[in-house]
Amino acid sequence: MIGTQVLAARNAVTQQVRALSNFIEDQDPTALAVVSVMTGALLVAFAGFLSVSSLAIVPFSIFVVAAGYGWLNHQGLTARMLTFAMTVGTILILLLITVFIFVESIPVFVYESTTVFGISVPGLRMFTQAEWDAVSPPIRYSMVPMIHGTVMVTLIATAVAAPLGISAALFLSEIAPATLREAVKPGVEILAGIPSIVYGFIGFTILSPWAADQFRTTGQGSYLFVGIVVGLMALPTVVSVAEDALSSVPESMKSGSLAMGTTDWQTMASITIPAAFSGVSAAVLLGVGRAIGETMAATVMLRGVPQLTKPLYNAFYGQSTLTSLIANNYGEADGLQMDALFAAGVILFITVLAISVGSQYIEWRMRRKLGGEN
Amino acid sequence: MSKTTSTTETDRTDTERVGTTTGETDEHVRDEWRDYSFDAPTKIGVEDLDVYYGDDHALDGVSMDIPEQSVTALIGPSGCGKSTFLRCLNRMNDRVSSARIDGSVTLDGQEVYQEGVNLVELRKRVGMVFQSPNPFPKSIRENISYGPEKHGDIDTGLLARVLGRSDEAAREDLVEQCLRDAALWDEVADRLDDNALGLSGGQQQRLCIARCLSVHPEVILMDEPASALDPIATAKIEDLIAELSQEYTVVIVTHNMQQAARISEQTAVFLTGGELVEYGDTDQIFEDPESDRVEDYITGKFG
Amino acid sequence: MAGAAETRLVSGDTSRSNAVAAAAVALAAVLFVTSLAALFEVITISDPFAGVPVVTVLGGTLSLLGVAVITFGVGSYVGAVETEPSRSAGLVAAVVFGVVWFAVGGAVTSRVLGIGGVAWAFVALLTGAVASAVTAVPREDIGSTLPAGAVTLLAGMTFLTGSVGPAWVWELEFEQQASLTAEFAIPVVTLFCALLAGWAAAKAYGGFGARGRKMGAYLLIYLNAGSIVSVLFILIAFTAFRGIPGLLNGTEFGLGTGPTVFGFALPVSIPFVMHGVSLFNDFQGVLPAIAGTIWLVVGAVLFAVPLGVGAAIFLTEYAERGRFTQVVEVATNGLWSTPSIVFGLFGFAFLIPRFGGGKSLLSGMLTLGFMLLPLVLITSREAMLAVPDEYRDASAALGVSKWQTIRSVVVPAALPGVVTGVILGVGRIAGETAPILLTMTGGTFVPGERTVDVIGGFEFVSTPPFVANPELLRATTALPFQLYALITAGVGLGDNVSSPTEFQWATALVLLLVVLSFYAIGIGARYYFRRKLDYE
Ligand SMILES: Nc1ncnc2c1ncn2[C@@H]1O[C@H](COP(=O)(O)OP(=O)(O)OP(=O)(O)O)[C@@H](O)[C@H]1O
Ligand SMILES: [Mg+2]
């Protein structure tokens, strides 16, 4: 059983190799030489850049010269090689991001180890106690208050963005007359374009003082209003992705329902939304991802103190989120505290990546489902 | 009861003069055909119906009256506006934003294209089977019970079940009846909970027919309902149509002349340009058409 | 079953009962708008309106609305009004009203009767359950009007009788203290009741049944769409309103008033966008930040566009569609949704040590380039995939090589999509603050002489890397960062500029204008290309 699998795998590999060698044989030898020089130079340059060497410029210049020569004389192969290098570069960037923020955060994970059943689990203490104190011993870097803050903001933001976003998407794709849709859709996109710092500024100067006054809190900054502002910011994402999903439901299905003598609303509720369900939930997930990663509004509107609110569901106070922790503390942080900021980055990165992959999976399933019907 | 309203007749004799071949641009050149008269009351009356898609003139001044409880076949080459015509009868063309419709369609003497028409009511009474099968991405059972449930005729929702007033039994009866009528029951009886998208094209088409029957419309518009069916299923559908015409008014588009000849009482021939060239008794049309163009089309010389 | 067949084709009955329902819907809409106005203190609830306090007027209107809704429901039930109700208002309505009445029951027991603990929960649950049952069990006309009307009436009576007046406060007894005040609670409750009663009235207007349900849903959807559009409008209008005075401070028109650009004196002088901050200036400005933003965008585009388009070409044209392309797709989408602050962290850890160890313009450019890259890749790929295969086949059939085909057929055809995507992406990164916070940063008030001049900054040096540009390696500022710095600077802002608030709002407005003009260009380009394609 396993033997055949190995055999099959080996066959596949030999096939690939043969295809590659065929491809290489087909090429002009000088072109191959140029491309080899380019590849080698680029690899060396990259290695040099990684090792913080200013000499990296030398192989890079060689690469540029080789590429220029190749472009003039063997454009097809050079172009192919260049585009391939660009693809690899894109993937490398993702890898580098992952590696660098992980590596930078290792010390704090080690520092915050806890022993469970005799086994030392790195980083566990960051999640089991709620103390953040970077100044007076015992120095503790707990992520719990920030995770709490991010969860609060995200929950409130989703409660704002999901229902409003989905019904706005319904309005755009199913209800609005064509002229109105043409006018409103760019409007929604523009809403997506307003920089988050502008939202933060308006929230900070207008909403926060107002909220503090209304709810008679001590000081300004509440998860409730950060959540609302962040929800407004995530709204355009939800609207446009959900709108795409809704309008990709085939017209024939909608007509089929309407021709049975159902109302538009019944058709939407019973045919369009269920058929687009995965797309709509992907839209909400993407909105959640945006809300989790939103930085500036949270940074300027929250208090920036890494503490839990009391009681936990007290949304009228807002302390700190994972993102605002980084933005607030990068300036004075160094050593272990800076590593702790990277740890916050790692948590954000993993969460958002998981959400992104999840929503893509859902969308992929939807496309398969709707595509399979005709 | 002879012909329909007298106004229609005068209109027709006005505009359709014998052998008009003059260069008048605003007068359409028409072949002459006898006024078609029937004994049954008119179910659907169409008068001077013009449809444009943008600048594209898809239907050109069509006037015809469709008698109650009968089968009317629409034939004609591809793209001549048969589907467009059907979609005008239940106002599904309203969904096409580029479509512009002039003229009048009446259902039991009531104008369909007037202010304040309840489209839901109209479409309940004028059901439609589309040219390409379009089952809902739901189970077979839910596909059939969809219409009656939305119209509040049967209720098997969670709430109804909790309150103990679920119409489970009525639904099962309805599903079976409709599927039997559409000659699909034997094939799907043991998998009613399967997704309808998993059925074959022909099965999907019969499912759509069954779905249409489930709301008991008065008029059934069928756009090539047998295009994806094998001869046996086609025969069953044809039997069904014959049976339906006892009670319902059926308007059916078909590319199959034999089928039109077999099942319909009257036939309308559309030709390219969206023009209704001839309309009359099916036997008459197929045996002795008035128009040369229709004869050419029927005998296959057309085009 | 019977009812359905009897209804006429034309529903032309605009009877008096219908008019009443329509009036109730209108009343609800007015209440909705009024409550929003009260919430944002455009209206003060204790102020008199025609001699009566606003809160009393609200209470009276709510009561009226509640009574109207209930009357309509009962009228329909006894047959006084012609409707086609369904058998039940449905599960969703039952759940919603259950929750609403749970809250009402809980609030009343704890606030009025002062009961807590188990008894509180019991009463709340009981009211919730009763409301659910009243919604679900009777016919739709009762089920959807009675609970909505009753809650509206209750709220109205509470305001009318002064049980909840302008001085009302609910101490929430949290450890970090917070209270619900009348200024907040009254508008919010009004808003909520207006929505519920409006929905019920809209259903009644549609005669219940399928049509009524559609009316109810549409009312909510229309209100929502309208609110979103007005929020957008208000946000932009408000920023413009507050920012324009600062922006136009000291503006002069006339020949020779403006600064000299390419040897030509501009006929207009807007100091805010043409100067930095200096002791000698009459009017201070944000020119360095504008220049910084422009250079950032240019750098990011120069980095990300070739890389992204190249990778898109490889993925669509050369790579076989399979595991590899799928992984890249997932990775790019993941990169696109990665929080901007994480890019900042990455730039901080990766780029800064490699570009002289300090924050620099170049690091900022590259960080934003990393952010832009996935979007360029995604949109370019989409645009290239949309090029029909026939084009490629036709070109290949002529014996043209693959690369020539890509260059002369695929890329031109995909260009509109790529351009639009890039412009929209640029709009997004131009407004980003978080990534440059950690990689670039400048000061709160930047003097005019610190305006970056990348072109003039290049020089040759004898040590590798032989080319140096101190301008690129210097920390500079950008509009979004400057706004952030202005917000966080707090006190002491007034030492530098005469009116710090005006300066802040003007900065926000300039940032908004810059970003929105990118968006306007992007969206305009998309329409232009689409129209052109339509006509071809
Ligand atoms: N939604 C639409 N938008 C624009 N033009 C349309 C639309 N639907 C149909 N048309 C045009 O109207 C004309 C008539 O189309 P229709 O579908 O009614 O033809 P048909 O007789 O049903 O053809 P077939 O036998 O192939 O189904 C055609 O020229 C078609 O291109
Ligand atoms: Mg057709």
Side-chain angles (χ1 to χ4, degrees), chain C residues 352-493:
Chain C
I352 288 188
R354 285 167 180 77
F355 296 124
K359 296 181 178 180
S360 63
L361 177 60
L362 187 59
S363 305
M365 285 172 169
L366 286 181
T367 310
L368 290 185
F370 292 152
M371 279 194 72
L372 184 59
L373 179 60
L375 181 74
V376 174
L377 178 54
I378 293 169
T379 45
S380 311
R381 204 165 125 73
E382 262 167 27
M384 286 174 201
L385 284 174
V387 177
D389 271 340
E390 291 90 73
Y391 287 20
R392 297 183 180 92
D393 295 348
S395 174
L398 292 173
V400 178
S401 79
K402 185 151 193 167
W403 169 246
Q404 287 297 339
T405 307
I406 295 171
R407 222 178 78 159
S408 48
V409 177
V410 178
V411 172
L415 205 57
V418 177
V419 169
T420 316
V422 169
I423 297 173
L424 291 178
V426 161
R428 191 181 169 84
I429 59 162
E432 276 293 350
T433 319
I436 54 175
L437 208 61
L438 280 84
T439 52
M440 200 177 88
T441 54
T444 315
F445 295 106
V446 185
E449 57 270 25
R450 289 260 314 272
T451 307
V452 280
D453 174 17
V454 173
I455 296 171
F458 278 105
E459 54 193 46
F460 293 99
V461 288
S462 55
T463 54
F466 307 115
V467 191
N469 190 338
E471 291 281 338
L472 276 178
L473 295 181
R474 205 173 64 181
T476 182
T477 190
L479 282 170
F481 176 78
Q482 178 137 13
L483 181 57
Y484 171 68
L486 288 170
I487 297 172
T488 46
V491 285
L493 218 53

Side-chain angles (χ1 to χ4, degrees), chain B residues 83 87 128-133 205 222-225 227 253 255:
Chain B
S83 301
R87 284 204 304 269
M128 182 167 208
V129 177
F130 288 75
Q131 183 160 5
S132 47
Q205 207 153 29
M222 292 184 164
D223 203 342
E224 298 182 44
S227 63
V253 171
H255 279 295

Side-chain angles (χ1 to χ4, degrees), chain B residues 26-86:
Chain B
D26 55 348
E27 198 85 337
H28 296 301
V29 183
R30 288 274 161 78
D31 298 79
E32 186 221 13
W33 43 275
R34 269 186 306 258
D35 278 341
Y36 175 57
S37 57
F38 42 79
D39 294 333
T42 301
K43 186 72 185 175
I44 295 179
V46 179
E47 219 182 298
D48 268 333
L49 187 66
D50 280 275
V51 178
Y52 305 82
Y53 292 111
D55 296 332
D56 187 5
H57 202 164
L59 276 187
D60 185 0
V62 172
S63 303
M64 67 189 274
D65 294 307
I66 295 168
E68 197 175 81
Q69 290 168 2
S70 66
V71 180
T72 306
L74 309 179
I75 60 174
S78 186
C80 66
K82 306 179 297 292
S83 301
T84 301
F85 179 76
L86 273 199

